[in-house]
Amino acid sequence: MQSPFRSLIVLFILTFALVLVLSGVEGCAPTSPTAAPTNPAPNLAPTTAPTLSGKIRVAHWEDPSTTEYYNQLLAKFQQQYPNVQVEYVTAPTGQYMDKLNVMLASGDPADVFLAGIGFPYTYQAVQSKTFADLTDNYTRKLKGQLLETAVTPWTVGGKVYGIPIIVETTGNLCFNKKAFDDAKLAYPNDRWTPNDYRAAAQKLVQRDASGKVTRWGALPGADFFYISVYIILKSHDGEAFTPDGKKWVAGLDPFLKKNVEALEPYIAMGGVDKSAPTPSQVRELGFGEGMFERGEVAMRHCGFFLLPLFNKITAFDWGAVVNERWPEHPYVGLTPLALAMSDTSKNKSAAWAFIKFATSPEAQTLQFKLTAQLPSNMQILNSDALTQDAMFKHMDMKAWIKDAMANGRALPGPADTPVAPFSIQGVWEASMDKAWKGDISVEQALKEMQPNMEKLFAKEAGQ
């Protein structure tokens, strides 16, 4: 079965002309996570629920691993709001955005829809008045109940345009304990630096007599700007944008030196050490799908959507830690999925009631139980039933939650730049892939892309 996050990846592939933003992997629903708190908090539906009426349409992409959850969510919602008729609008992942756009163009959009960061890109959706402003409802009815750092990516100009229901991350570091034991290396920890990661990869890569790689040292998550590169730059006091986000400055002084220092340890793994595949090689290898499970890579950056797959590994033991500790500003990369409301919805009261119910303890418990998707509701996210669930047996989940609360951030987000991440990614790869191959230096790549980024930002940011 597919994970919803893989659906997000597939959606991006098609949106960005098959140029992938993650080291993709296939996820699936777990064999039944058990983290359903035995005494969930009472449901927070308003006492006036039956007074709501009318019809709303809720859009989400098709995913077999979430079908049962949405069916049960609908049934439970309508028990509390019997006079509201809910219609689900779905489409295969590759057709989901097209369907939303057709509905929008016809003047009849869905009332509520599941969105990822950039599906559609929040800043542009706000400018085109696609998303409704949910700030007042969020502040009065949900603030303090959800993981706050998962709300930030859905905030533009201080206003909230999406309510996160699923917390994802690609920033964990999963590692093969047997590979480390065989190489007599200490296991990774959250105090590692990028240079520690690089040094370990050099010792973990294996080749046969002909020199062919039989096991890569690492599959780093530092190749796609959309997910992790900006976090790496910022954590080293580097920068890519001007304070208003409307200009690109990564290839200019005074940021160039810091940016080079931040990226070099990762990119040297591909172009110099040959201990990790380059982004183009990753694409040729199926975006890393199945490599960790088969023992073909000793370390990889990983998200929660991979844990159900990795928990099935029997050939070796493995572990997971928070991403390596960057020197200046530690970040936990979040990629939360949210429910947004159409600004032209004809039944905003019922649409908000659905969104709010989807974040309630009852719905969030059900979500984790049936799909293993990490909830945004802090009561459920931080419950012993969840943190001690078998899904997280290879990591310290309480430590991750604590770190995510303090340092969680999704970058680049609408609060950082009005330019869509997918557009940035296209220009980024055109130059940075050369550095990964060792054809040019990181500094040369950043300087080469600077004028092309300036043209992009002049067009998309209206400069």
Side-chain angles (χ1 to χ4, degrees):
M1 290 187 286
Q2 285 186 322
S3 78
F5 200 74
R6 185 171 186 268
S7 299
L8 183 62
I9 294 172
V10 174
L11 187 55
F12 176 66
I13 294 174
L14 295 171
T15 303
F16 195 44
L18 301 181
V19 179
L20 194 65
V21 65
L22 291 171
S23 47
V25 240
E26 181 177 330
C28 66
T31 51
S32 223
T34 56
T38 53
N39 294 301
N43 135 17
L44 301 177
T47 56
T48 56
T51 64
L52 289 177
S53 61
K55 177 181 178 180
I56 58 171
R57 290 183 298 170
V58 177
H60 62 88
W61 51 84
E62 292 176 4
D63 185 337
S65 70
T66 62
T67 300
E68 179 61 20
Y69 164 67
Y70 279 111
N71 287 339
Q72 290 198 31
L73 179 67
L74 173 58
K76 290 179 179 297
F77 174 78
Q78 294 201 302
Q79 285 176 4
Q80 295 188 27
Y81 297 89
N83 298 322
V84 177
Q85 181 185 355
V86 179
E87 175 190 348
Y88 278 149
V89 177
T90 63
T93 52
Q95 301 171 27
Y96 180 70
M97 279 306 301
D98 290 339
K99 188 160 190 172
L100 291 183
N101 286 331
V102 168
M103 295 172 70
L104 182 64
S106 70
D108 189 27
D111 298 273
V112 176
F113 53 92
L114 181 66
I117 305 301
F119 303 104
Y121 186 51
T122 311
Y123 184 94
Q124 295 174 343
V126 170
Q127 296 300 105
S128 63
K129 300 190 183 301
T130 301
F131 287 178
D133 179 359
L134 303 177
T135 310
D136 184 57
N137 276 331
Y138 169 73
T139 302
R140 289 189 298 109
K141 301 175 183 179
L142 285 178
K143 190 172 180 63
Q145 297 179 39
L146 309 182
L147 179 64
E148 192 69 26
T149 51
V151 179
T152 303
W154 295 97
T155 305
V156 179
K159 296 182 178 181
V160 177
Y161 291 94
I163 304 299
I165 59 169
I166 299 165
V167 178
E168 243 316 336
T169 181
T170 56
N172 298 324
L173 178 58
C174 291
F175 60 97
N176 182 328
K177 289 185 177 181
K178 184 178 185 303
F180 274 77
D181 292 341
D182 291 346
K184 295 181 171 55
L185 291 175
Y187 296 153
N189 57 62
D190 64 2
R191 294 178 300 281
W192 262 26
T193 67
N195 283 321
D196 291 326
Y197 185 55
R198 178 187 177 186
Q202 289 175 301
K203 296 177 181 178
L204 290 164
V205 64
Q206 288 186 341
R207 297 177 173 84
D208 60 19
S210 68
K212 179 182 177 181
V213 172
T214 56
R215 184 185 71 204
W216 292 100
L219 191 66
D223 45 358
F224 297 108
F225 188 88
Y226 169 62
I227 293 297
S228 58
V229 169
Y230 188 44
I231 297 176
I232 294 172
L233 300 185
K234 292 286 286 184
S235 66
H236 288 72
D237 276 346
E239 186 53 84
F241 313 120
T242 51
D244 63 3
K246 293 186 176 182
K247 291 185 179 179
W248 178 268
V249 295
L252 303 177
D253 292 329
F255 309 110
L256 179 61
K257 182 179 178 181
K258 287 287 189 180
N259 290 340
V260 170
E261 291 174 353
L263 295 173
E264 275 186 336
Y266 298 101
I267 292 175
M269 293 166 66
V272 178
D273 305 340
K274 312 296 183 185
S275 62
T278 66
S280 60
Q281 288 174 314
V282 170
R283 292 190 281 271
E284 292 170 4
L285 292 167
F287 304 108
E289 184 175 321
M291 292 179 68
F292 185 78
E293 301 96 299
R294 295 191 297 267
E296 296 169 4
V297 59
M299 297 184 289
R300 65 156 302 154
H301 287 98
C302 57
F304 291 116
F305 61 99
L306 287 169
L307 299 190
L309 280 177
F310 292 177
N311 280 336
K312 296 178 182 178
I313 295 173
T314 58
F316 57 86
D317 192 13
W318 62 279
V321 295
V322 175
N323 57 297
E324 61 274 20
R325 183 65 60 191
W326 294 306
E328 303 295 340
H329 311 290
Y331 289 138
V332 175
L334 302 179
T335 52
L337 304 188
L339 291 178
M341 184 195 301
S342 170
D343 195 44
T344 58
S345 169
K346 297 179 178 64
N347 197 348
K348 287 185 177 179
S349 295
W352 171 255
F354 184 90
I355 292 172
K356 185 173 182 292
F357 182 75
T359 68
S360 68
E362 178 183 2
Q364 293 265 285
T365 296
L366 183 69
Q367 175 182 286
F368 182 72
K369 180 180 180 181
L370 294 181
T371 72
Q373 294 171 322
L374 209 62
S376 60
N377 185 291
M378 285 303 300
Q379 178 179 319
I380 308 307
L381 179 63
N382 209 24
S383 67
D384 288 342
L386 184 145
T387 58
Q388 296 173 15
D389 187 83
M391 179 175 168
F392 307 112
K393 61 185 176 182
H394 292 279
M395 66 180 294
D396 185 344
M397 190 59 191
K398 283 189 176 293
W400 183 89
I401 293 170
K402 182 179 179 180
D403 215 357
M405 290 174 65
N407 303 312
R409 197 170 180 190
L411 296 169
D416 302 290
T417 176
V419 181
F422 316 132
S423 301
I424 294 173
Q425 184 66 30
V427 178
W428 178 267
E429 286 187 351
S431 295
M432 197 55 67
D433 274 10
K434 299 176 187 177
W436 275 97
K437 295 174 183 176
D439 295 339
I440 61 177
S441 69
V442 176
E443 181 175 354
Q444 289 171 324
L446 290 171
K447 287 181 175 179
E448 178 185 279
M449 74 175 70
Q450 181 65 34
N452 296 323
M453 285 291 193
E454 289 175 0
K455 292 177 183 176
L456 170 68
F457 275 63
K459 178 182 177 182
E460 291 203 20
Q463 293 296 302

